Amino acid sequence: MSKQVVIVGAGLSGTTAASYLTQAGVPVKLFEALDRVGGRTYTVPPPENCSGPVDHGAGYVGSTQTAVKALLQELNVETHEVPGDGFLYTLSWGGNVYYMKNVLPDLFKYLAWYESVAICLAIIDMYWKGMSINTEEPWNSRNADEWDNMTVQNWIDTKFPGSKFSNARTIFQFVCRIPLGVEASETSFLYFLWYFKCGSGFYDLLFPAQDRIVVGGTQQLSEKINATLPKESQAQLKTPVLAMDNNDSSKVVITPAGSSQIEAERCILAMTPHTRDYIAFNPLLSPMYHQLPQRTPMGTTIKIHLFYKEKFWLVDKNLNGNATIFDGDSISQTYDCTAPGGTPCLQAFYVGKVGRRMAMMDRKAREADAKKTIGKIFGEKANDSIGYSEFIWDNHPWIGGAPTGTCAPGTLTCYGNAVRAPTGRIHFASTETAYEWTGYMDGAIRAGHRAASEVLKELGKPEPKPLPPVPVEQMRKDDVDKLKLVVNFTSQSVQKWKIQISNLNVASNAAVAQNATTKEAQQFLATQFQNSSEELKDYIKENKMQADDLITGLKMLQESVSNPNMLAA
Amino acid sequence: MSKQVVIVGAGLSGTTAASYLTQAGVPVKLFEALDRVGGRTYTVPPPENCSGPVDHGAGYVGSTQTAVKALLQELNVETHEVPGDGFLYTLSWGGNVYYMKNVLPDLFKYLAWYESVAICLAIIDMYWKGMSINTEEPWNSRNADEWDNMTVQNWIDTKFPGSKFSNARTIFQFVCRIPLGVEASETSFLYFLWYFKCGSGFYDLLFPAQDRIVVGGTQQLSEKINATLPKESQAQLKTPVLAMDNNDSSKVVITPAGSSQIEAERCILAMTPHTRDYIAFNPLLSPMYHQLPQRTPMGTTIKIHLFYKEKFWLVDKNLNGNATIFDGDSISQTYDCTAPGGTPCLQAFYVGKVGRRMAMMDRKAREADAKKTIGKIFGEKANDSIGYSEFIWDNHPWIGGAPTGTCAPGTLTCYGNAVRAPTGRIHFASTETAYEWTGYMDGAIRAGHRAASEVLKELGKPEPKPLPPVPVEQMRKDDVDKLKLVVNFTSQSVQKWKIQISNLNVASNAAVAQNATTKEAQQFLATQFQNSSEELKDYIKENKMQADDLITGLKMLQESVSNPNMLAA
């Protein structure tokens, strides 16, 4: 048994690793603290008199998440499109509700021209900064120290100075809060950029990451993988690992709760990083590894499901059920997640700071709050729900939050390497260790595959065949197309104000030559805006750097479209 | 046994709580994970051929730390003054070493006049902001949200804009790193202000907090308290508590490692907050309590001791051994911590980001690095050490860092209440739960006393007599005296540049009347500075708000000296 490998955690990452190892003939022991496999995929039955499974955890599959798509195919699990285009989306901010055909162009219609411009500039800035991130080693990115010493909020404050941009600020705070469950003021800007780069850019992460649900729920992926394992390698439930002893450097001695010690050649910890601290290592891991778990707080996510007799949002108002609530209400987002043939169901999220407050209230208060908000945006029939289900991830005994372990300033540059790099005979999986679609099911699968590959290499066994790559080129092309769209929308929005910003697209203009200084760029902008209102002139004056950014951004954008090599980070 | 109380953690806080409870006749069980009592007080024998105990952990007692002073007296433990005034202090920055009689006035001699002014303004700003903090509930302070959404670095950037203030920036980054072990860019500004207010202000925390060492070492405090407990209440070593079950709401069922379950009326967790997560609570604590441990990372502290045949720093150069190294070297601070009659000994600290790097090196590399720096500042005899001892707190198996659990942005306002407020039958001690001298031995004692008082009140027993109060009025008076000193030094420093800044002290000037606007204040400053250099005019222009702050600060200072009521937060 000397070549046995122990895996701790039977979520998607741990079961994936177990699968690759056992396929290569390696004996595996898989331990799981919970009474089920699946980790952050967690499927429960619907409330009484309702049908369709409820995904309390990971629920969506995006079009560029090729690892999870391949796994779904391999396991013969179907997906089902979330209602989207063709119906109306809902956006709500500042106490007002807006219904729109396409979120991005239409959103600009409701913002002042200067906020549209500022948002356009910020998206371009975020995109280009994100593209410079080294995803495998973000701490080795060009501006790593500078950006890891900043919060996302610091960046937002730079892009949206003064009091004129409160909507823009709200939107970008939302852009941090929604995928991570933590506030912009709590999050390292480097980590934020890295997360988005791993998830294929600004736009793709917020939208197509959520385009299909898994028929039958997502937990079945881990269950099915677990079922294919040799019986002796299947997950031992309710068995947390208490200790790992590596004093004899030729092996690791594992102490699972309630059963006898076993020896392993190597171990894979497939757990969210803050829980590594639950294991007593002897000798201790090195200081960097020992302090990391204190520094990867989970986000706050409460996911609720409300069931209805009919899709009243669709029937009454032609709404697709997808609402984005930037501020003013406690709920941040809703989706129509009705299972094929199942009871009509709306899903809603409480996240971040407001989520923390809601988590301390009682269940009835949350249900009432959710119905009130859903009623306001979708109609009064929100009150006629026939079933309610909720899960507070912050209170999960072993995971303690969702969707992912995040990084405050200083963590990635000081402790980042300890997230994934093996130490001694210990390897690491979990979606946090992925550098493609980290925080998602796709990342969990890639992390399990990568950790298994590391171990197989050490054991002198052939590594498994690679996973389908993330379609990077296509994704970058899509990003640029979307950026161009944003620029066009901004341009239209500004034209509405009779301002000739569209001329900015003439990137060949002498004033925006590669070496244009900030001053030249300002002059160029001033020329473009010569017929503009006083307000615009003030804006240019107050936002010198931003005006320069816009020109630089537009120029780089145009160049990169004609020269794909520029797209490489 | 129904009124038994269980305490987890036999550091200074836990043993203190045990002492008050047993004195009131309450049966106590005290569990400790380590093989010793004392927690972050940790005294070990010196290296071979050396004498005098080595305090790897908490080592100093400050003059306003009345709780620890009273305890020392009660236990008949002596203290010994650290060499200070009368000899020369050492400061090092920018690669240069300076020897000076008094740190604060002399420091200003070596800084450009505009850096002195900026530092003076920043100290005043920090002082007045700090005074507004509600120490018992910092999340309820007037500007809590704003300051908790900022890092200390954000505040530094505001106070020291542009490239002219690199020394000032370095100094204030040091002011965060030294007491907390984390970087300014990682720390909530609210938390930082709160920590300083708890520790009696800017100046007192950095200097008199370190004025005496404990003869025989600090760990003996916990040992002596433990020895006074009834035998059945003395600490059970090597016994971490694994689980707490509160399903029967009339009691808590405790599962200590390796021994049978016991029942308790109430529990006190006297552990640093991030380790609360090591206990499995059933039912779980509420989400706020459950997520807090992910959000109180310990600072980085490596404490090293180098022993010598003679005090060469004193003999050769009349230096007191106290060096403050703002930047340029890995070591941040040294002290002469020679025990009375013991082998001459210099203590040095690696903290914060550079400490994390040093923690990953091997012992020999640290020793060599320390000798190199000490040699540079105290003389070549640094190489003739006869003993070396070190401890890396980041690698402590149960504590995981030092000196204290810190707060990144967003933590205090969202989770702060869960640090100290009891939940169900569980109470909290540890120095992090103190609101006077938090992070210090004094705070640990106060936290233990407070937790014991809470429990006694619940049990219907008389509460223990109060601890000697922190001498707040004296401390505030001292603070103001020191602020005035800083203003005078600044004034002198500026006068050296033939600038009449001393006139600023005329706070009765019409231009600094209570309602003076920023513009009026600027004009006043401009008048004062009419004969000044172009450089000064540029400074005033670039730092409008700071000029206003100086006037406001000086005015408030003068008012508060004549009107002590203003000193109340």
Side-chain angles (χ1 to χ4, degrees), chain A residues 284 294 298 356 395 415, chain B residues 284 294 298 356 395-396 415:
Chain A
L284 282 176
Q294 302 173 27
M298 304 297 290
R356 294 168 195 156
N395 223 18
Y415 300 93
Chain B
L284 282 176
Q294 303 172 27
M298 303 298 288
R356 293 169 195 156
N395 223 19
H396 187 291
Y415 300 93

Side-chain angles (χ1 to χ4, degrees), chain B residues 87-142:
Chain B
F87 310 100
L88 295 175
Y89 290 88
T90 308
L91 261 70
S92 167
W93 72 90
N96 299 310
V97 182
Y98 307 90
Y99 305 108
M100 43 189 76
K101 220 163 173 180
N102 297 292
V103 171
L104 207 52
D106 291 0
L107 167 61
F108 280 87
K109 289 184 196 160
Y110 297 99
L111 294 171
W113 66 267
Y114 50 84
E115 284 209 305
S116 302
V117 172
I119 288 171
C120 175
L121 296 170
I123 292 175
I124 292 172
D125 184 68
M126 181 177 153
Y127 175 76
W128 285 110
K129 289 195 163 104
M131 284 309 105
S132 77
I133 299 292
N134 174 341
T135 46
E136 287 195 49
E137 298 182 336
W139 49 92
N140 283 332
S141 303
R142 196 157 13 99

Side-chain angles (χ1 to χ4, degrees), chain B residues 1 4 47 71 102 105 127 179 182 249 370 389 418 432 469 484 546 557:
Chain B
M1 290 299 279
Q4 176 171 265
L71 180 64
N102 297 292
Y127 175 76
V182 291
S249 66
S389 182
E432 286 85 354
K484 286 170 79 173
Q546 296 195 13
L557 200 58

Side-chain angles (χ1 to χ4, degrees), chain B residues 368-438:
Chain B
D369 175 87
K371 283 181 181 169
K372 198 178 142 201
T373 300
I374 291 174
K376 195 169 80 178
I377 59 182
F378 292 142
E380 275 181 22
K381 288 182 188 163
N383 291 317
D384 308 334
S385 65
I386 57 170
Y388 176 80
S389 182
E390 67 164 28
F391 194 72
I392 303 173
W393 281 92
D394 294 31
N395 223 19
H396 187 291
W398 288 95
I399 301 175
T404 192
T406 63
C407 291
T411 304
L412 264 187
T413 46
C414 284
Y415 300 93
N417 193 48
V419 172
R420 188 175 73 245
T423 175
R425 293 174 175 273
I426 297 171
H427 300 254
F428 300 98
S430 88
T431 192
E432 286 85 354
T433 69
Y435 45 90
E436 288 164 320
W437 284 110
T438 182

Side-chain angles (χ1 to χ4, degrees), chain B residues 163-241:
Chain B
S163 57
K164 279 187 180 172
F165 301 103
S166 60
N167 290 316
R169 258 203 291 273
T170 299
I171 290 170
F172 276 82
Q173 283 166 343
F174 181 90
V175 165
C176 180
R177 187 187 299 124
I178 272 286
L180 295 170
V182 291
E183 299 295 320
S185 53
E186 299 165 3
T187 311
S188 155
F189 185 50
L190 178 68
Y191 173 76
F192 175 77
L193 292 171
W194 173 75
Y195 195 83
F196 275 66
K197 176 92 177 281
C198 292
S200 83
F202 173 75
Y203 196 97
D204 250 28
L205 195 137
L206 277 182
F207 300 96
Q210 257 90 45
D211 64 356
R212 301 188 81 87
I213 58 170
V214 173
V215 177
T218 58
Q219 188 180 325
Q220 63 176 312
L221 300 184
S222 301
E223 284 166 354
K224 289 187 179 202
I225 299 170
N226 188 49
T228 66
L229 301 177
K231 202 160 169 75
E232 65 279 10
S233 292
Q234 290 180 9
Q236 296 186 31
L237 303 179
K238 298 187 196 176
T239 311
V241 165

